[in-house]
């Protein structure tokens, strides 16, 4: 059963920086990460941010567009990818992805916009109803 961590941003800070920090932390723990975005434009933005967010670290990653995933510890996708990693799913979309149960951990980044918060509350209830372990973290 997956553990789901909701990271609640308290200000209008762009969530991409937190995505990069959490991705780097997971890699340092030897975990593979799948970042699922809402659309291709967001995937491109995360891809760019992972290249530029730190001068002292490198996050090996690839965009996952095809049926066969690239050989990278971090995959960025904007669709449900059934053949991708199963350690950590970072969900930046508005719905719970298919096959979420096969991940050991799911990370939900929740920006401060009210519509984003409402969608996250719905996902929280759905995860709870599925019996997943839930944690919330307030990020200032």
């Amino acid at each position: 059963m997956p553990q789901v961590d909701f990271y609640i941003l308290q200000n209008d800070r762009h969530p991409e920086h937190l995505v990069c920090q959490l991705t780097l932390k997971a890699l340092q723990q030897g975990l593979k990460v799948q970042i699922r975005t809402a659309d291709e434009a967001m995937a491109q933005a995360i891809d760019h941010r992972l290249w530029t967010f730190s001068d002292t670290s490198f996050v090996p990653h690839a965009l996952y567009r095809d049926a066969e995933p690239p050989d990278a510890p971090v995959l960025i996708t904007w669709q449900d990818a059934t053949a991708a990693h199963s350690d950590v799913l970072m969900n930046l979309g508005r719905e719970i992805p298919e096959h979420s149960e096969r991940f050991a951990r799911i990370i939900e980044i929740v920006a401060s916009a009210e519509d984003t918060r409402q969608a996250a509350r719905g996902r929280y209830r759905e995860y709870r109803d599925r019996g997943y372990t839930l944690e919330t973290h307030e990020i200032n």
Side-chain angles (χ1 to χ4, degrees), residues 22-34 73-74 85-88 104-105:
L22 293 173
T23 300
L24 180 60
K25 184 176 179 180
L27 283 176
Q28 291 169 340
Q29 295 173 3
L31 301 172
K32 292 184 176 185
V33 179
Q34 180 180 339
V74 176
H85 304 320
S86 60
D87 291 335
V88 178
R105 185 167 180 212

Side-chain angles (χ1 to χ4, degrees), residues 59-109:
V59 177
H61 66 281
L63 288 171
Y64 180 12
R65 293 186 169 108
D66 304 314
E68 191 63 35
D71 186 24
V74 176
L75 298 177
I76 306 167
T77 187
W78 54 95
Q79 63 236 0
D80 288 324
T82 58
H85 304 320
S86 60
D87 291 335
V88 178
L89 168 66
M90 194 167 308
N91 184 30
L92 305 178
R94 295 184 64 85
E95 301 90 27
I96 296 175
E98 290 183 35
H99 310 293
S100 62
E101 71 281 350
R102 68 182 173 80
F103 290 89
R105 185 167 180 212
I106 300 169
I107 296 174
E108 293 273 350
I109 308 292

Side-chain angles (χ1 to χ4, degrees), residues 3-54:
Q3 174 180 326
V4 183
D5 291 279
F6 280 81
Y7 288 83
I8 314 296
L9 297 174
Q10 295 302 316
N11 57 37
D12 288 334
R13 183 181 114 172
H14 292 288
E16 294 89 3
H17 188 75
L18 181 59
V19 169
C20 293
Q21 290 176 316
L22 293 173
T23 300
L24 180 60
K25 184 176 179 180
L27 283 176
Q28 291 169 340
Q29 295 173 3
L31 301 172
K32 292 184 176 185
V33 179
Q34 180 180 339
I35 302 171
R36 184 180 181 272
T37 64
D39 53 39
E40 186 174 2
M42 183 186 284
Q44 296 284 348
I46 296 294
D47 176 50
H48 176 73
R49 189 66 177 241
L50 284 171
W51 285 113
T52 61
F53 93 102
S54 174

